Amino acid sequence: MTPGFRILRRRHQVAAELVERFRTIPVANISDSMSRMMAGGPRLRPLHAGGGMAGPALTVKLRPGDNLMLHKALDMAEPGDIIVADAGGDLTTAIMGDLMLNHAIRRGIGGIIINGAVRDVDSIRALSLPLYAAGVTHRGPYKDGPGEINVPVALDGMVVEPGDLVLGDADGVLAVPRLDAEAVLAAAEAKQAAELREMAAIREGTSDRSWVDKALQARGCIIEE
């Protein structure tokens, strides 16, 4: 099987029950629970009407400017899948537009991430299917290949394996390795509970802010009296 032009089978994926539990937690809190070391990059911004995203990754590696393999991935994806397409970050050519997005909606796909550009933004913004992209251009793609499906891809250094958990909200996108999902979930749920307690204290005027001065003193900051 030739590397660079192949379609592989996804052999594992994150459990559906874990996906649903992650769905209720802000991406920022999950990111904090992963030592703040994972991120899909600030260029990947939501272009859809609004709403979060969570599901198993179906990964696509594209030749910049060509979307043949993305078309195939749309036909392969199962309901709830998140298509993660690495087009090399190229912004000179759109990899998809509203026709492909409506096909994705028809197939029940859970969301799409394009490390590249898209077009038909007015139509995309009117739809609720989560779509994250690095840019926008009117210039359309070619359909010649090559490309790969269900191989590891990297988004600004964040590696996504087929079947990993992929999340998104207004703050951006995040991938949780499938084998780490349970541990990350436990940490993220604890983080979320702590933030809810702190928010309640802020609203009640009982939040303890003494930690700020303690942190400054511990770092040797001089505070004039």
Side-chain angles (χ1 to χ4, degrees), residues 8-13 56-58 78 81-82 150 162-164:
L8 305 180
R9 181 168 59 89
R10 185 173 61 187
R11 302 181 183 279
H12 309 283
Q13 67 183 64
L58 190 157
E78 300 174 2
D81 279 353
I82 309 299
N150 284 326
D164 282 352

Side-chain angles (χ1 to χ4, degrees), residues 15-121:
E17 61 189 56
L18 291 178
V19 173
E20 292 309 309
R21 290 174 65 183
F22 270 100
R23 198 183 295 277
T24 63
I25 306 174
V27 167
N29 288 347
I30 301 167
S31 178
D32 284 355
S33 302
M34 300 176 72
S35 301
R36 300 168 182 159
M37 289 293 290
M38 306 294 177
R43 294 204 308 165
L44 294 172
R45 304 309 307 155
L47 297 179
H48 55 287
M53 175 181 76
L58 190 157
T59 60
V60 190
K61 191 171 182 64
L62 301 171
R63 178 172 68 87
D66 190 289
N67 72 356
L68 176 62
M69 281 299 194
L70 181 56
H71 276 280
K72 180 60 178 177
L74 290 174
D75 292 341
M76 289 176 57
E78 300 174 2
D81 279 353
I82 309 299
I83 293 180
V84 183
D86 179 17
D90 175 66
L91 302 183
T92 64
T93 304
I95 294 302
M96 71 173 296
D98 60 357
L99 292 177
M100 295 176 72
L101 190 61
N102 276 276
H103 180 53
I105 292 171
R106 179 74 176 175
R107 290 191 49 76
I109 290 170
I112 301 173
I113 300 170
I114 304 290
N115 184 23
V118 298
R119 65 181 183 177
D120 303 326
V121 174

Side-chain angles (χ1 to χ4, degrees), residues 74-205:
L74 290 174
D75 292 341
M76 289 176 57
E78 300 174 2
D81 279 353
I82 309 299
I83 293 180
V84 183
D86 179 17
D90 175 66
L91 302 183
T92 64
T93 304
I95 294 302
M96 71 173 296
D98 60 357
L99 292 177
M100 295 176 72
L101 190 61
N102 276 276
H103 180 53
I105 292 171
R106 179 74 176 175
R107 290 191 49 76
I109 290 170
I112 301 173
I113 300 170
I114 304 290
N115 184 23
V118 298
R119 65 181 183 177
D120 303 326
V121 174
D122 284 342
S123 296
I124 291 170
R125 286 177 176 153
L127 298 172
S128 60
L129 178 67
L131 173 65
Y132 295 78
V136 175
T137 181
H138 55 78
R139 190 163 73 174
Y142 298 95
K143 296 174 173 59
D144 302 310
E148 298 180 294
I149 294 177
N150 284 326
V151 297
V153 297
L155 309 179
D156 203 23
M158 182 181 73
V159 176
V160 184
E161 300 268 359
D164 282 352
L165 174 64
V166 182
L167 305 158
D169 62 16
D171 287 339
V173 300
L174 177 68
V176 179
R178 178 180 61 87
L179 295 179
D180 296 331
E182 289 193 24
V184 172
L185 176 63
E189 287 179 333
K191 170 73 174 174
Q192 176 75 347
E195 288 216 348
L196 290 174
R197 290 193 296 271
E198 179 62 17
M199 184 63 75
I202 289 171
R203 289 171 174 166
E204 294 167 2

